[in-house]
Amino acid sequence: MNPVAGKRLTYKRMRPNPLFEECLEKLHEEARLNNTNYLPIIKEAMSSLSKYPLPLKSGADCAILKGFNKSLCGLLDKYVLEAVSKNCLSHNTTTTDEVIDLENYPSSVSKDFTSKSTHEIIDVETCNKSIIHHKDNIDNSPRSSCSEILPKKGIYKPQFKSGAFAILMGLLELYKQNIENNVSKDEIIHVAQKYCEESFKVAKTVRYSAWSSMARLVKKGFVIKSRGKNIQYALTEKGVSMAYNLWNEYETKSSTNKFMFQKPKEDVDIRNVSTSDNFINLAEMDHLEKINTSPEEVLTNHPVIYLPANCYDIVLLIDKNEKNGNEDSFHNYPDLKYELRSLKVGDFTWIARNRVSNEELVLPYIIERKRMDDLGASIKDGRFHEQKFRLRKCGLKHVFYLVESYDKNKHVGLPLPSLMQALANTRIQDGFKIYYTDSLIKSHRFLAMMTKRLQVEYMNKSLCGASCDPKDGMLMTFNYFNKSSVKTKVLSVTEMFIKMLLQLKGMSVEKALAITSIYKTPKSLLTAFENCDTKQGALLLAPLKYGDLNRNVGPTVSKTVFQLFTSY
């Protein structure tokens, strides 16, 4: 078949979106006559639409063009919908302005193509007539007002779980309790905190807090602020109406606030709690094994401590070094039970305390909090690996790393990818759980949520333990946990050998444990090296398996250890 001779066929849409252009022209004229400040917005939209060569199917598709905001896109959709409802063809139909260059084109091909395009032109003319016929009706339509381009100024409504929302809820709760109309700031904060995710009390260096929303509520007329030495606040009639509307919506929504501030009940279902906060789901974690040991049974020589179901409290223990100045870090959670103690390992853990005898058992959860700058410093000075080793040896099954952002993670001592890689290794190799937060307030909220979920997890469960290492579902007492985790405790030869090996470059905890499982002491390793020649000694430790994947220790680490203990 011979190729077609002649010029290249050109198919160009001069007006690919006629309805949208009609709408923008009408809006431009209205804005020009009224001299409104929407005129630059419409001009920019008209300019970008005229340069776009393809047809757009809806107003939402126009969002990719410059000058089209959400309101303008919605207005275009209304315009097209009205035109279509009046039997107008789709705005994507080809128009008579399309240019087709048929010069020097074969007559047979030209005839077929012209016949096809003539049919299209007839339809377009019908569409144009329909547009012109209904133009006056569309121009008079209230929907096409250019004031819809920007959001309308409607009734102010506080966002769910915001500071303003919490203040209105707190004032409404005090209003229902028949308390005097005027209440102080402290009274409002005490009641309102449970309805808000942000803190009402922040450091003096922080400008914004949840209480900052009070100024807007006063300005909008929802709250009256009294003048005088002792400033007090009260709801207006408008504020009471808004607060009741918000309360009705609050009752139908599930949130972490409700879950944290309600007392644990048997019918609490953590699956119904909103997961927008991305909290740890304890249901997905390994549960404790069933405890079949009776309180009369004795493990080794230590008496068993038995805590009957629903006869103990779950208490959060906070290391004294985590105390944030003189400010009470958890004042926002009045129902949270916590204590400050000296923890020898980790920063946070939980205990179950008997309400009568005050006997305490440590739950198998422990958290190490790391701010990003502290994480970088601990990696450089070697504390990071030493802390992970002690956390693995503490006897608690579930170890968390609570990683907190710092100054947008710009100045954290090490490159951010290096820190993220270290955390990924901690998660994969060490089996620790990593949780990220944006601020100290979010960290406190995470701990409060964990405490609440542990209360639900251990509801109707009996616990028992002793002053010994946990095994077969048994827990250990707090005193034994703290004594066994002391950093300066007397170490065995093997434990000291492990700590010595960890100082070597490329040595991990798993590799050190693999080496010490075969060679318990440095002397036994030296003896093995003496019985080998130089080549065999350098590769003596290479085939040893470590970790869950049974990987080899490798020749590099083996050679490093060999050079440390020999004179070669």
Side-chain angles (χ1 to χ4, degrees), residues 356-374:
V356 179
S357 63
N358 289 330
E359 294 175 318
E360 297 175 343
L361 295 177
V362 181
L363 301 180
Y365 298 88
I366 188 169
I367 292 180
E368 176 73 22
R369 173 178 168 265
K370 284 289 182 187
R371 208 169 64 176
M372 290 297 281
D373 58 333
D374 181 38

Side-chain angles (χ1 to χ4, degrees), residues 47-62:
S47 176
S48 60
L49 183 63
S50 63
K51 297 175 183 178
Y52 192 71
L54 301 177
L56 296 166
K57 295 182 180 180
S58 65
D61 292 343
C62 294

Side-chain angles (χ1 to χ4, degrees), residues 81-180:
L81 183 62
E82 186 171 350
V84 172
S85 64
K86 294 180 180 180
N87 298 323
C88 179
L89 293 178
S90 173
H91 64 286
N92 290 332
T93 307
T94 308
T95 67
T96 56
D97 295 327
E98 295 173 354
V99 177
I100 303 173
D101 190 354
L102 300 175
E103 187 179 353
N104 298 326
Y105 200 79
S107 58
S108 59
V109 178
S110 176
K111 182 178 180 180
D112 295 340
F113 191 89
T114 306
S115 176
K116 181 179 179 182
S117 63
T118 305
H119 178 69
E120 292 180 353
I121 291 173
I122 293 173
D123 291 342
V124 171
E125 289 178 352
T126 305
C127 178
N128 290 336
K129 289 179 181 179
S130 179
I131 294 174
I132 296 171
H133 178 72
H134 296 294
K135 185 174 181 181
D136 294 336
N137 295 332
I138 295 175
D139 288 342
N140 297 328
S141 175
R143 294 182 180 181
S144 62
S145 175
C146 65
S147 62
E148 293 189 20
I149 296 176
L150 297 179
K152 289 184 178 181
K153 293 183 179 180
I155 299 176
Y156 169 71
K157 182 179 179 181
Q159 187 177 0
F160 184 60
K161 295 189 288 187
S162 64
F165 174 87
I167 292 172
L168 289 177
M169 292 294 96
L171 287 170
L172 180 63
E173 186 173 327
L174 295 173
Y175 177 81
K176 289 180 178 179
Q177 296 174 2
N178 295 325
I179 297 178
E180 298 180 0

Side-chain angles (χ1 to χ4, degrees), residues 65 89 93 165 179 189 210-211 251 268 281 391 476 488 527:
L65 302 179
L89 293 178
T93 307
F165 174 87
I179 297 178
I189 291 177
W211 182 256
E251 286 294 305
V268 175
N281 187 359
L391 286 169
M476 56 181 165
T488 58
T527 304

Side-chain angles (χ1 to χ4, degrees), residues 226-294:
S226 65
R227 297 181 179 180
K229 185 176 181 181
N230 297 324
I231 300 177
Q232 293 186 323
Y233 304 86
L235 284 174
T236 62
E237 293 183 2
K238 182 180 177 182
V240 172
S241 176
M242 175 61 72
Y244 271 111
N245 292 335
L246 295 176
W247 175 262
N248 293 333
E249 294 181 8
Y250 175 75
E251 286 294 305
T252 60
K253 291 184 178 181
S254 297
S255 67
T256 53
N257 291 55
K258 289 183 181 180
F259 183 69
M260 276 194 294
F261 289 97
Q262 69 180 359
K263 294 183 179 180
K265 299 178 182 179
E266 294 185 3
D267 57 350
V268 175
D269 187 358
I270 61 176
R271 293 173 296 180
N272 294 332
V273 180
S274 173
T275 58
S276 59
D277 297 309
N278 194 26
F279 287 112
I280 299 294
N281 187 359
L282 295 182
E284 296 177 357
M285 300 173 60
D286 294 332
H287 296 292
L288 281 176
E289 299 177 6
K290 278 191 173 182
I291 299 175
N292 298 321
T293 309
S294 63

Side-chain angles (χ1 to χ4, degrees), residues 392 428-431 508-515 517 543-553:
R392 289 188 59 176
I428 297 171
Q429 297 178 1
D430 300 305
S508 65
V509 176
E510 292 83 1
K511 293 178 181 179
L513 291 175
I515 294 173
S517 64
L544 297 181
K545 304 294 184 181
Y546 74 93
D548 297 334
L549 299 178
N550 289 327
R551 292 180 176 177
N552 293 333
V553 172

Side-chain angles (χ1 to χ4, degrees), residues 191-205:
V191 179
Q193 182 60 67
K194 59 187 176 184
Y195 298 104
C196 184
E197 291 187 348
E198 300 297 331
S199 175
F200 278 91
K201 296 181 179 179
V202 295
K204 294 181 180 179
T205 56

